[in-house]
mmCIF file of all heavy atoms in Angstrom:
data_model
loop_
_atom_site.group_PDB
_atom_site.id
_atom_site.type_symbol
_atom_site.label_atom_id
_atom_site.label_comp_id
_atom_site.label_asym_id
_atom_site.label_seq_id
_atom_site.Cartn_x
_atom_site.Cartn_y
_atom_site.Cartn_z
ATOM 1 N N LEU A 23 0.824 -1.205 0.000
ATOM 2 C CA LEU A 23 0.000 0.000 0.000
ATOM 3 C C LEU A 23 0.860 1.258 0.000
ATOM 4 O O LEU A 23 0.533 2.255 -0.658
ATOM 5 C CB LEU A 23 -0.943 -0.014 1.205
ATOM 6 C CG LEU A 23 -2.094 -1.020 1.104
ATOM 7 C CD1 LEU A 23 -2.774 -1.203 2.457
ATOM 8 C CD2 LEU A 23 -3.113 -0.574 0.056
ATOM 9 N N ASP A 24 1.979 1.222 0.713
ATOM 10 C CA ASP A 24 2.909 2.353 0.679
ATOM 11 C C ASP A 24 3.491 2.516 -0.720
ATOM 12 O O ASP A 24 3.637 3.635 -1.221
ATOM 13 C CB ASP A 24 4.037 2.147 1.688
ATOM 14 C CG ASP A 24 3.567 2.212 3.126
ATOM 15 O OD1 ASP A 24 2.513 2.827 3.380
ATOM 16 O OD2 ASP A 24 4.255 1.657 3.999
ATOM 17 N N ALA A 25 3.849 1.387 -1.349
ATOM 18 C CA ALA A 25 4.399 1.439 -2.710
ATOM 19 C C ALA A 25 3.367 1.999 -3.686
ATOM 20 O O ALA A 25 3.702 2.782 -4.584
ATOM 21 C CB ALA A 25 4.853 0.047 -3.139
ATOM 22 N N ALA A 26 2.120 1.609 -3.506
ATOM 23 C CA ALA A 26 1.056 2.112 -4.376
ATOM 24 C C ALA A 26 0.902 3.620 -4.233
ATOM 25 O O ALA A 26 0.732 4.345 -5.229
ATOM 26 C CB ALA A 26 -0.259 1.405 -4.052
ATOM 27 N N ALA A 27 0.972 4.106 -3.006
ATOM 28 C CA ALA A 27 0.833 5.545 -2.771
ATOM 29 C C ALA A 27 1.996 6.325 -3.381
ATOM 30 O O ALA A 27 1.802 7.410 -3.956
ATOM 31 C CB ALA A 27 0.738 5.815 -1.273
ATOM 32 N N LEU A 28 3.201 5.802 -3.260
ATOM 33 C CA LEU A 28 4.354 6.459 -3.865
ATOM 34 C C LEU A 28 4.230 6.487 -5.387
ATOM 35 O O LEU A 28 4.491 7.507 -6.038
ATOM 36 C CB LEU A 28 5.645 5.754 -3.452
ATOM 37 C CG LEU A 28 6.125 6.008 -2.017
ATOM 38 C CD1 LEU A 28 7.246 5.050 -1.656
ATOM 39 C CD2 LEU A 28 6.599 7.445 -1.866
ATOM 40 N N PHE A 29 3.839 5.358 -5.961
ATOM 41 C CA PHE A 29 3.654 5.291 -7.415
ATOM 42 C C PHE A 29 2.584 6.276 -7.870
ATOM 43 O O PHE A 29 2.716 6.922 -8.918
ATOM 44 C CB PHE A 29 3.286 3.858 -7.815
ATOM 45 C CG PHE A 29 2.884 3.702 -9.254
ATOM 46 C CD1 PHE A 29 3.752 4.045 -10.279
ATOM 47 C CD2 PHE A 29 1.623 3.215 -9.582
ATOM 48 C CE1 PHE A 29 3.370 3.904 -11.610
ATOM 49 C CE2 PHE A 29 1.240 3.070 -10.909
ATOM 50 C CZ PHE A 29 2.120 3.417 -11.930
ATOM 51 N N GLN A 30 1.537 6.406 -7.083
ATOM 52 C CA GLN A 30 0.448 7.335 -7.414
ATOM 53 C C GLN A 30 0.993 8.753 -7.607
ATOM 54 O O GLN A 30 0.660 9.430 -8.579
ATOM 55 C CB GLN A 30 -0.596 7.314 -6.299
ATOM 56 C CG GLN A 30 -1.802 8.189 -6.529
ATOM 57 C CD GLN A 30 -2.750 8.153 -5.325
ATOM 58 O OE1 GLN A 30 -2.315 8.345 -4.179
ATOM 59 N NE2 GLN A 30 -4.023 7.880 -5.586
ATOM 60 N N GLY A 31 1.841 9.184 -6.685
ATOM 61 C CA GLY A 31 2.412 10.517 -6.778
ATOM 62 C C GLY A 31 3.410 10.646 -7.916
ATOM 63 O O GLY A 31 3.451 11.662 -8.614
ATOM 64 N N GLN A 32 4.219 9.613 -8.105
ATOM 65 C CA GLN A 32 5.244 9.658 -9.148
ATOM 66 C C GLN A 32 4.629 9.643 -10.541
ATOM 67 O O GLN A 32 5.046 10.380 -11.441
ATOM 68 C CB GLN A 32 6.196 8.471 -8.962
ATOM 69 C CG GLN A 32 6.986 8.519 -7.669
ATOM 70 C CD GLN A 32 7.520 7.154 -7.240
ATOM 71 O OE1 GLN A 32 7.319 6.148 -7.922
ATOM 72 N NE2 GLN A 32 8.196 7.126 -6.089
ATOM 73 N N ALA A 33 3.622 8.793 -10.738
ATOM 74 C CA ALA A 33 3.004 8.647 -12.061
ATOM 75 C C ALA A 33 2.232 9.898 -12.477
ATOM 76 O O ALA A 33 2.103 10.183 -13.677
ATOM 77 C CB ALA A 33 2.078 7.433 -12.068
ATOM 78 N N SER A 34 1.743 10.658 -11.501
ATOM 79 C CA SER A 34 0.965 11.854 -11.838
ATOM 80 C C SER A 34 1.797 12.867 -12.617
ATOM 81 O O SER A 34 1.263 13.629 -13.426
ATOM 82 C CB SER A 34 0.407 12.497 -10.561
ATOM 83 O OG SER A 34 1.470 13.000 -9.749
ATOM 84 N N LYS A 35 3.110 12.851 -12.403
ATOM 85 C CA LYS A 35 3.985 13.781 -13.122
ATOM 86 C C LYS A 35 4.116 13.408 -14.588
ATOM 87 O O LYS A 35 4.604 14.203 -15.391
ATOM 88 C CB LYS A 35 5.355 13.811 -12.457
ATOM 89 C CG LYS A 35 5.324 14.334 -11.029
ATOM 90 C CD LYS A 35 6.702 14.315 -10.384
ATOM 91 C CE LYS A 35 6.638 14.812 -8.946
ATOM 92 N NZ LYS A 35 7.982 14.776 -8.294
ATOM 93 N N ALA A 36 3.688 12.208 -14.932
ATOM 94 C CA ALA A 36 3.725 11.755 -16.324
ATOM 95 C C ALA A 36 2.351 11.789 -16.967
ATOM 96 O O ALA A 36 2.165 11.288 -18.071
ATOM 97 C CB ALA A 36 4.290 10.332 -16.383
ATOM 98 N N GLY A 37 1.371 12.354 -16.262
ATOM 99 C CA GLY A 37 0.017 12.403 -16.802
ATOM 100 C C GLY A 37 -0.769 11.134 -16.565
ATOM 101 O O GLY A 37 -1.800 10.907 -17.199
ATOM 102 N N ILE A 38 -0.300 10.300 -15.639
ATOM 103 C CA ILE A 38 -0.988 9.049 -15.308
ATOM 104 C C ILE A 38 -1.638 9.214 -13.940
ATOM 105 O O ILE A 38 -0.932 9.344 -12.917
ATOM 106 C CB ILE A 38 -0.013 7.856 -15.302
ATOM 107 C CG1 ILE A 38 0.668 7.725 -16.669
ATOM 108 C CG2 ILE A 38 -0.737 6.571 -14.935
ATOM 109 C CD1 ILE A 38 1.791 6.690 -16.695
ATOM 110 N N GLN A 39 -2.944 9.245 -13.902
ATOM 111 C CA GLN A 39 -3.677 9.406 -12.650
ATOM 112 C C GLN A 39 -4.069 8.027 -12.120
ATOM 113 O O GLN A 39 -4.732 7.256 -12.810
ATOM 114 C CB GLN A 39 -4.928 10.260 -12.865
ATOM 115 C CG GLN A 39 -4.635 11.642 -13.434
ATOM 116 C CD GLN A 39 -3.696 12.457 -12.560
ATOM 117 O OE1 GLN A 39 -3.858 12.503 -11.335
ATOM 118 N NE2 GLN A 39 -2.717 13.098 -13.187
ATOM 119 N N VAL A 40 -3.637 7.716 -10.905
ATOM 120 C CA VAL A 40 -3.850 6.391 -10.319
ATOM 121 C C VAL A 40 -4.753 6.507 -9.099
ATOM 122 O O VAL A 40 -4.433 7.214 -8.135
ATOM 123 C CB VAL A 40 -2.508 5.731 -9.916
ATOM 124 C CG1 VAL A 40 -2.759 4.359 -9.276
ATOM 125 C CG2 VAL A 40 -1.587 5.606 -11.126
ATOM 126 N N ALA A 41 -5.877 5.821 -9.127
ATOM 127 C CA ALA A 41 -6.751 5.696 -7.958
ATOM 128 C C ALA A 41 -6.463 4.347 -7.303
ATOM 129 O O ALA A 41 -6.448 3.313 -7.978
ATOM 130 C CB ALA A 41 -8.210 5.780 -8.375
ATOM 131 N N ILE A 42 -6.219 4.360 -6.016
ATOM 132 C CA ILE A 42 -5.871 3.129 -5.304
ATOM 133 C C ILE A 42 -7.127 2.513 -4.699
ATOM 134 O O ILE A 42 -7.845 3.174 -3.934
ATOM 135 C CB ILE A 42 -4.831 3.406 -4.204
ATOM 136 C CG1 ILE A 42 -3.561 3.987 -4.815
ATOM 137 C CG2 ILE A 42 -4.521 2.124 -3.431
ATOM 138 C CD1 ILE A 42 -2.560 4.473 -3.787
ATOM 139 N N LYS A 43 -7.381 1.266 -5.045
ATOM 140 C CA LYS A 43 -8.507 0.533 -4.476
ATOM 141 C C LYS A 43 -7.952 -0.453 -3.454
ATOM 142 O O LYS A 43 -7.342 -1.457 -3.806
ATOM 143 C CB LYS A 43 -9.283 -0.217 -5.562
ATOM 144 C CG LYS A 43 -10.533 -0.916 -5.037
ATOM 145 C CD LYS A 43 -11.340 -1.535 -6.174
ATOM 146 C CE LYS A 43 -12.625 -2.166 -5.651
ATOM 147 N NZ LYS A 43 -13.424 -2.770 -6.753
ATOM 148 N N ARG A 44 -8.163 -0.150 -2.199
ATOM 149 C CA ARG A 44 -7.644 -1.001 -1.118
ATOM 150 C C ARG A 44 -8.527 -2.239 -0.985
ATOM 151 O O ARG A 44 -9.734 -2.138 -0.742
ATOM 152 C CB ARG A 44 -7.602 -0.232 0.191
ATOM 153 C CG ARG A 44 -6.999 -1.011 1.336
ATOM 154 C CD ARG A 44 -6.694 -0.100 2.505
ATOM 155 N NE ARG A 44 -6.029 -0.821 3.577
ATOM 156 C CZ ARG A 44 -5.268 -0.240 4.496
ATOM 157 N NH1 ARG A 44 -5.086 1.069 4.460
ATOM 158 N NH2 ARG A 44 -4.694 -0.950 5.432
ATOM 159 N N GLN A 45 -7.915 -3.404 -1.136
ATOM 160 C CA GLN A 45 -8.650 -4.665 -1.148
ATOM 161 C C GLN A 45 -8.454 -5.424 0.166
ATOM 162 O O GLN A 45 -7.402 -5.310 0.810
ATOM 163 C CB GLN A 45 -8.171 -5.541 -2.304
ATOM 164 C CG GLN A 45 -8.366 -4.925 -3.679
ATOM 165 C CD GLN A 45 -9.788 -5.074 -4.191
ATOM 166 O OE1 GLN A 45 -10.678 -5.531 -3.474
ATOM 167 N NE2 GLN A 45 -10.010 -4.697 -5.440
ATOM 168 N N PRO A 46 -9.470 -6.219 0.594
ATOM 169 C CA PRO A 46 -9.322 -7.016 1.817
ATOM 170 C C PRO A 46 -8.182 -8.024 1.697
ATOM 171 O O PRO A 46 -8.008 -8.658 0.643
ATOM 172 C CB PRO A 46 -10.674 -7.739 1.940
ATOM 173 C CG PRO A 46 -11.613 -6.953 1.083
ATOM 174 C CD PRO A 46 -10.786 -6.389 -0.027
ATOM 175 N N ALA A 47 -7.410 -8.161 2.752
ATOM 176 C CA ALA A 47 -6.255 -9.060 2.715
ATOM 177 C C ALA A 47 -6.668 -10.523 2.619
ATOM 178 O O ALA A 47 -6.044 -11.309 1.894
ATOM 179 C CB ALA A 47 -5.391 -8.841 3.959
ATOM 180 N N ASP A 48 -7.719 -10.916 3.340
ATOM 181 C CA ASP A 48 -8.068 -12.330 3.439
ATOM 182 C C ASP A 48 -8.531 -12.939 2.118
ATOM 183 O O ASP A 48 -8.420 -14.145 1.918
ATOM 184 C CB ASP A 48 -9.155 -12.535 4.500
ATOM 185 C CG ASP A 48 -8.625 -12.371 5.914
ATOM 186 O OD1 ASP A 48 -7.382 -12.360 6.070
ATOM 187 O OD2 ASP A 48 -9.427 -12.236 6.847
ATOM 188 N N SER A 49 -9.061 -12.106 1.232
ATOM 189 C CA SER A 49 -9.583 -12.648 -0.018
ATOM 190 C C SER A 49 -8.787 -12.191 -1.240
ATOM 191 O O SER A 49 -9.211 -12.411 -2.374
ATOM 192 C CB SER A 49 -11.058 -12.232 -0.187
ATOM 193 O OG SER A 49 -11.188 -10.822 -0.173
ATOM 194 N N TYR A 50 -7.637 -11.566 -0.999
ATOM 195 C CA TYR A 50 -6.904 -10.929 -2.095
ATOM 196 C C TYR A 50 -6.505 -11.922 -3.180
ATOM 197 O O TYR A 50 -6.688 -11.672 -4.367
ATOM 198 C CB TYR A 50 -5.663 -10.223 -1.545
ATOM 199 C CG TYR A 50 -4.993 -9.323 -2.560
ATOM 200 C CD1 TYR A 50 -5.483 -8.061 -2.826
ATOM 201 C CD2 TYR A 50 -3.863 -9.749 -3.265
ATOM 202 C CE1 TYR A 50 -4.878 -7.224 -3.764
ATOM 203 C CE2 TYR A 50 -3.253 -8.927 -4.198
ATOM 204 C CZ TYR A 50 -3.768 -7.659 -4.442
ATOM 205 O OH TYR A 50 -3.170 -6.853 -5.378
ATOM 206 N N TRP A 51 -5.972 -13.058 -2.782
ATOM 207 C CA TRP A 51 -5.451 -13.999 -3.772
ATOM 208 C C TRP A 51 -6.571 -14.749 -4.490
ATOM 209 O O TRP A 51 -6.358 -15.249 -5.606
ATOM 210 C CB TRP A 51 -4.477 -14.971 -3.112
ATOM 211 C CG TRP A 51 -3.302 -14.231 -2.555
ATOM 212 C CD1 TRP A 51 -3.022 -13.979 -1.244
ATOM 213 C CD2 TRP A 51 -2.267 -13.582 -3.305
ATOM 214 N NE1 TRP A 51 -1.889 -13.222 -1.126
ATOM 215 C CE2 TRP A 51 -1.400 -12.966 -2.378
ATOM 216 C CE3 TRP A 51 -1.989 -13.451 -4.673
ATOM 217 C CZ2 TRP A 51 -0.269 -12.236 -2.776
ATOM 218 C CZ3 TRP A 51 -0.878 -12.728 -5.070
ATOM 219 C CH2 TRP A 51 -0.041 -12.131 -4.128
ATOM 220 N N ASP A 52 -7.736 -14.810 -3.905
ATOM 221 C CA ASP A 52 -8.861 -15.476 -4.560
ATOM 222 C C ASP A 52 -9.662 -14.526 -5.447
ATOM 223 O O ASP A 52 -10.105 -14.906 -6.544
ATOM 224 C CB ASP A 52 -9.802 -16.087 -3.514
ATOM 225 C CG ASP A 52 -9.176 -17.264 -2.795
ATOM 226 O OD1 ASP A 52 -8.433 -18.025 -3.438
ATOM 227 O OD2 ASP A 52 -9.410 -17.408 -1.583
ATOM 228 N N ASP A 53 -9.829 -13.286 -4.989
ATOM 229 C CA ASP A 53 -10.764 -12.379 -5.654
ATOM 230 C C ASP A 53 -10.109 -11.287 -6.488
ATOM 231 O O ASP A 53 -10.786 -10.661 -7.327
ATOM 232 C CB ASP A 53 -11.673 -11.714 -4.604
ATOM 233 C CG ASP A 53 -12.525 -12.719 -3.847
ATOM 234 O OD1 ASP A 53 -12.719 -13.833 -4.371
ATOM 235 O OD2 ASP A 53 -12.975 -12.394 -2.731
ATOM 236 N N VAL A 54 -8.823 -11.027 -6.262
ATOM 237 C CA VAL A 54 -8.175 -9.897 -6.935
ATOM 238 C C VAL A 54 -7.064 -10.351 -7.876
ATOM 239 O O VAL A 54 -7.051 -9.986 -9.053
ATOM 240 C CB VAL A 54 -7.617 -8.894 -5.902
ATOM 241 C CG1 VAL A 54 -6.934 -7.721 -6.601
ATOM 242 C CG2 VAL A 54 -8.726 -8.400 -4.986
ATOM 243 N N TRP A 55 -6.132 -11.136 -7.370
ATOM 244 C CA TRP A 55 -4.985 -11.574 -8.167
ATOM 245 C C TRP A 55 -5.449 -12.324 -9.417
ATOM 246 O O TRP A 55 -6.305 -13.199 -9.341
ATOM 247 C CB TRP A 55 -4.083 -12.460 -7.319
ATOM 248 C CG TRP A 55 -2.851 -12.960 -8.015
ATOM 249 C CD1 TRP A 55 -1.854 -12.207 -8.558
ATOM 250 C CD2 TRP A 55 -2.500 -14.322 -8.225
ATOM 251 N NE1 TRP A 55 -0.885 -13.028 -9.092
ATOM 252 C CE2 TRP A 55 -1.254 -14.333 -8.912
ATOM 253 C CE3 TRP A 55 -3.094 -15.535 -7.904
ATOM 254 C CZ2 TRP A 55 -0.609 -15.516 -9.278
ATOM 255 C CZ3 TRP A 55 -2.458 -16.707 -8.266
ATOM 256 C CH2 TRP A 55 -1.230 -16.691 -8.944
ATOM 257 N N MET A 56 -4.934 -11.945 -10.561
ATOM 258 C CA MET A 56 -5.246 -12.519 -11.867
ATOM 259 C C MET A 56 -6.669 -12.195 -12.332
ATOM 260 O O MET A 56 -7.113 -12.700 -13.355
ATOM 261 C CB MET A 56 -5.009 -14.035 -11.895
ATOM 262 C CG MET A 56 -3.559 -14.424 -11.730
ATOM 263 S SD MET A 56 -3.228 -16.164 -12.081
ATOM 264 C CE MET A 56 -3.513 -16.219 -13.871
ATOM 265 N N LYS A 57 -7.372 -11.344 -11.577
ATOM 266 C CA LYS A 57 -8.743 -10.981 -11.959
ATOM 267 C C LYS A 57 -8.898 -9.470 -12.158
ATOM 268 O O LYS A 57 -9.574 -9.047 -13.085
ATOM 269 C CB LYS A 57 -9.737 -11.487 -10.906
ATOM 270 C CG LYS A 57 -9.788 -13.011 -10.826
ATOM 271 C CD LYS A 57 -10.729 -13.481 -9.735
ATOM 272 C CE LYS A 57 -10.727 -15.011 -9.664
ATOM 273 N NZ LYS A 57 -11.574 -15.530 -8.559
ATOM 274 N N ALA A 58 -8.286 -8.675 -11.283
ATOM 275 C CA ALA A 58 -8.368 -7.227 -11.435
ATOM 276 C C ALA A 58 -7.513 -6.778 -12.625
ATOM 277 O O ALA A 58 -6.440 -7.338 -12.866
ATOM 278 C CB ALA A 58 -7.910 -6.534 -10.157
ATOM 279 N N PRO A 59 -7.943 -5.777 -13.373
ATOM 280 C CA PRO A 59 -7.167 -5.334 -14.539
ATOM 281 C C PRO A 59 -5.770 -4.825 -14.183
ATOM 282 O O PRO A 59 -4.829 -5.002 -14.953
ATOM 283 C CB PRO A 59 -8.028 -4.207 -15.124
ATOM 284 C CG PRO A 59 -9.408 -4.492 -14.641
ATOM 285 C CD PRO A 59 -9.244 -5.097 -13.276
#
């Protein structure tokens, strides 16, 4: 999550706007990994 926040700030300088969607830890590998874009 810290890495995501840093990337969010860094990418904005290149015209890339990043919204961070914080996902539940317990279901991350079942519901997010290989499924979220």
Side-chain angles (χ1 to χ4, degrees):
L23 288 167
D24 292 337
L28 285 169
F29 172 59
Q30 182 183 50
Q32 296 159 1
S34 66
K35 297 178 181 179
I38 302 172
Q39 302 302 315
V40 179
I42 300 172
K43 184 175 183 180
R44 184 167 184 157
Q45 299 280 7
D48 287 346
S49 58
Y50 191 80
W51 298 107
D52 291 324
D53 298 339
V54 180
W55 181 60
M56 294 191 69
K57 295 177 181 177

